[in-house]
Amino acid sequence: MGNCDGNDAPLTPRLSVVRGEELAPPTEDGLWTVDDVCAYLKMGSTWVRSKTASGELPCLKLGRSVRYSPAAIKEWVEQQGRGR
């Protein structure tokens, strides 16, 4: 099964946070982590995890990990602006 954005490229691990520094902007390749979504939305991890757990944020569960499609997160943001 490929990534939820239709990209079948293998997922490559990457660090989004470096201690003592701001979050790096998320990249468009592959799936995003919680930290990537936090950086994009400029929200804290508690908020992102809460919205994920309630089903409000679109996500993909891979085993015990949660990842996010950049396209799905951007669409969700647009929907919030339109009032759903």
Side-chain angles (χ1 to χ4, degrees), residues 41 47 50-59 72-84:
L41 298 177
W47 185 89
S50 173
K51 296 298 182 186
T52 298
S54 71
E56 292 179 62
L57 270 179
C59 68
I73 294 297
K74 290 175 181 180
E75 176 63 26
W76 180 85
V77 169
E78 288 180 26
Q79 288 175 355
Q80 301 311 298
R82 286 185 243 146
R84 285 190 176 212

Side-chain angles (χ1 to χ4, degrees), residues 14 22 31-32 55:
R14 64 183 190 280
E22 291 185 28
L31 298 173
W32 286 354

